[in-house]
PDB file of all heavy atoms in Angstrom:
ATOM      1  N   LYS A  98      12.907  14.433 -12.866  1.00 84.00           N
ATOM      2  CA  LYS A  98      12.881  15.734 -12.190  1.00 84.00           C
ATOM      3  C   LYS A  98      11.606  15.894 -11.374  1.00 84.00           C
ATOM      4  O   LYS A  98      11.635  16.463 -10.275  1.00 84.00           O
ATOM      5  CB  LYS A  98      13.004  16.865 -13.218  1.00 84.00           C
ATOM      6  CG  LYS A  98      14.387  16.985 -13.845  1.00 84.00           C
ATOM      7  CD  LYS A  98      14.460  18.191 -14.777  1.00 84.00           C
ATOM      8  CE  LYS A  98      15.849  18.335 -15.368  1.00 84.00           C
ATOM      9  NZ  LYS A  98      15.942  19.515 -16.276  1.00 84.00           N
ATOM     10  N   ALA A  99      10.522  15.385 -11.885  1.00 74.00           N
ATOM     11  CA  ALA A  99       9.250  15.497 -11.162  1.00 74.00           C
ATOM     12  C   ALA A  99       9.295  14.719  -9.855  1.00 74.00           C
ATOM     13  O   ALA A  99       8.847  15.206  -8.811  1.00 74.00           O
ATOM     14  CB  ALA A  99       8.110  14.987 -12.041  1.00 74.00           C
ATOM     15  N   VAL A 100       9.835  13.520  -9.905  1.00 76.00           N
ATOM     16  CA  VAL A 100       9.935  12.701  -8.694  1.00 76.00           C
ATOM     17  C   VAL A 100      10.863  13.361  -7.685  1.00 76.00           C
ATOM     18  O   VAL A 100      10.571  13.421  -6.481  1.00 76.00           O
ATOM     19  CB  VAL A 100      10.419  11.284  -9.051  1.00 76.00           C
ATOM     20  CG1 VAL A 100      10.797  10.509  -7.792  1.00 76.00           C
ATOM     21  CG2 VAL A 100       9.344  10.542  -9.826  1.00 76.00           C
ATOM     22  N   THR A 101      11.993  13.874  -8.185  1.00 81.00           N
ATOM     23  CA  THR A 101      12.936  14.553  -7.293  1.00 81.00           C
ATOM     24  C   THR A 101      12.286  15.758  -6.626  1.00 81.00           C
ATOM     25  O   THR A 101      12.396  15.965  -5.412  1.00 81.00           O
ATOM     26  CB  THR A 101      14.185  14.997  -8.081  1.00 81.00           C
ATOM     27  OG1 THR A 101      14.792  13.849  -8.677  1.00 81.00           O
ATOM     28  CG2 THR A 101      15.186  15.682  -7.164  1.00 81.00           C
ATOM     29  N   TRP A 102      11.610  16.561  -7.426  1.00 73.00           N
ATOM     30  CA  TRP A 102      10.923  17.739  -6.881  1.00 73.00           C
ATOM     31  C   TRP A 102       9.850  17.327  -5.881  1.00 73.00           C
ATOM     32  O   TRP A 102       9.718  17.926  -4.819  1.00 73.00           O
ATOM     33  CB  TRP A 102      10.304  18.525  -8.036  1.00 73.00           C
ATOM     34  CG  TRP A 102       9.333  19.573  -7.607  1.00 73.00           C
ATOM     35  CD1 TRP A 102       9.614  20.827  -7.139  1.00 73.00           C
ATOM     36  CD2 TRP A 102       7.906  19.441  -7.594  1.00 73.00           C
ATOM     37  NE1 TRP A 102       8.449  21.486  -6.838  1.00 73.00           N
ATOM     38  CE2 TRP A 102       7.392  20.667  -7.104  1.00 73.00           C
ATOM     39  CE3 TRP A 102       7.028  18.435  -7.950  1.00 73.00           C
ATOM     40  CZ2 TRP A 102       6.015  20.878  -6.959  1.00 73.00           C
ATOM     41  CZ3 TRP A 102       5.665  18.642  -7.816  1.00 73.00           C
ATOM     42  CH2 TRP A 102       5.179  19.859  -7.317  1.00 73.00           C
ATOM     43  N   ALA A 103       9.074  16.305  -6.212  1.00 68.00           N
ATOM     44  CA  ALA A 103       8.005  15.852  -5.313  1.00 68.00           C
ATOM     45  C   ALA A 103       8.564  15.365  -3.994  1.00 68.00           C
ATOM     46  O   ALA A 103       7.999  15.604  -2.925  1.00 68.00           O
ATOM     47  CB  ALA A 103       7.195  14.751  -5.989  1.00 68.00           C
ATOM     48  N   GLN A 104       9.718  14.688  -4.072  1.00 66.00           N
ATOM     49  CA  GLN A 104      10.347  14.210  -2.834  1.00 66.00           C
ATOM     50  C   GLN A 104      10.901  15.372  -2.018  1.00 66.00           C
ATOM     51  O   GLN A 104      10.688  15.446  -0.800  1.00 66.00           O
ATOM     52  CB  GLN A 104      11.473  13.236  -3.172  1.00 66.00           C
ATOM     53  CG  GLN A 104      12.200  12.691  -1.935  1.00 66.00           C
ATOM     54  CD  GLN A 104      13.553  12.114  -2.277  1.00 66.00           C
ATOM     55  OE1 GLN A 104      14.213  12.601  -3.205  1.00 66.00           O
ATOM     56  NE2 GLN A 104      13.978  11.117  -1.540  1.00 66.00           N
ATOM     57  N   GLU A 105      11.589  16.299  -2.682  1.00 66.00           N
ATOM     58  CA  GLU A 105      12.189  17.432  -1.977  1.00 66.00           C
ATOM     59  C   GLU A 105      11.141  18.283  -1.264  1.00 66.00           C
ATOM     60  O   GLU A 105      11.395  18.836  -0.191  1.00 66.00           O
ATOM     61  CB  GLU A 105      12.968  18.319  -2.962  1.00 66.00           C
ATOM     62  CG  GLU A 105      14.262  17.711  -3.461  1.00 66.00           C
ATOM     63  CD  GLU A 105      14.978  18.620  -4.451  1.00 66.00           C
ATOM     64  OE1 GLU A 105      14.349  19.580  -4.949  1.00 66.00           O
ATOM     65  OE2 GLU A 105      16.151  18.373  -4.718  1.00 66.00           O
ATOM     66  N   ASN A 106       9.969  18.344  -1.832  1.00 59.00           N
ATOM     67  CA  ASN A 106       8.908  19.166  -1.261  1.00 59.00           C
ATOM     68  C   ASN A 106       7.895  18.367  -0.443  1.00 59.00           C
ATOM     69  O   ASN A 106       6.847  18.894  -0.065  1.00 59.00           O
ATOM     70  CB  ASN A 106       8.186  19.921  -2.386  1.00 59.00           C
ATOM     71  CG  ASN A 106       9.058  20.999  -3.002  1.00 59.00           C
ATOM     72  OD1 ASN A 106       9.104  22.125  -2.510  1.00 59.00           O
ATOM     73  ND2 ASN A 106       9.760  20.652  -4.076  1.00 59.00           N
ATOM     74  N   SER A 107       8.241  17.093  -0.162  1.00 56.00           N
ATOM     75  CA  SER A 107       7.386  16.213   0.650  1.00 56.00           C
ATOM     76  C   SER A 107       5.961  16.143   0.105  1.00 56.00           C
ATOM     77  O   SER A 107       4.987  16.116   0.858  1.00 56.00           O
ATOM     78  CB  SER A 107       7.361  16.687   2.113  1.00 56.00           C
ATOM     79  OG  SER A 107       8.644  16.637   2.674  1.00 56.00           O
ATOM     80  N   ILE A 108       5.844  16.139  -1.211  1.00 60.00           N
ATOM     81  CA  ILE A 108       4.533  16.056  -1.855  1.00 60.00           C
ATOM     82  C   ILE A 108       4.157  14.600  -2.114  1.00 60.00           C
ATOM     83  O   ILE A 108       3.058  14.170  -1.793  1.00 60.00           O
ATOM     84  CB  ILE A 108       4.523  16.870  -3.160  1.00 60.00           C
ATOM     85  CG1 ILE A 108       4.702  18.353  -2.827  1.00 60.00           C
ATOM     86  CG2 ILE A 108       3.229  16.654  -3.937  1.00 60.00           C
ATOM     87  CD1 ILE A 108       4.898  19.229  -4.027  1.00 60.00           C
ATOM     88  N   VAL A 109       5.057  13.861  -2.716  1.00 63.00           N
ATOM     89  CA  VAL A 109       4.876  12.423  -2.889  1.00 63.00           C
ATOM     90  C   VAL A 109       6.168  11.760  -2.442  1.00 63.00           C
ATOM     91  O   VAL A 109       7.232  12.079  -2.961  1.00 63.00           O
ATOM     92  CB  VAL A 109       4.576  12.039  -4.357  1.00 63.00           C
ATOM     93  CG1 VAL A 109       4.289  10.547  -4.454  1.00 63.00           C
ATOM     94  CG2 VAL A 109       3.411  12.836  -4.900  1.00 63.00           C
TER      95      VAL A 109
END
Side-chain angles (χ1 to χ4, degrees):
K98 289 184 178 180
V100 169
T101 302
W102 167 81
Q104 180 199 32
E105 288 179 346
N106 290 274
S107 298
I108 295 172
V109 184

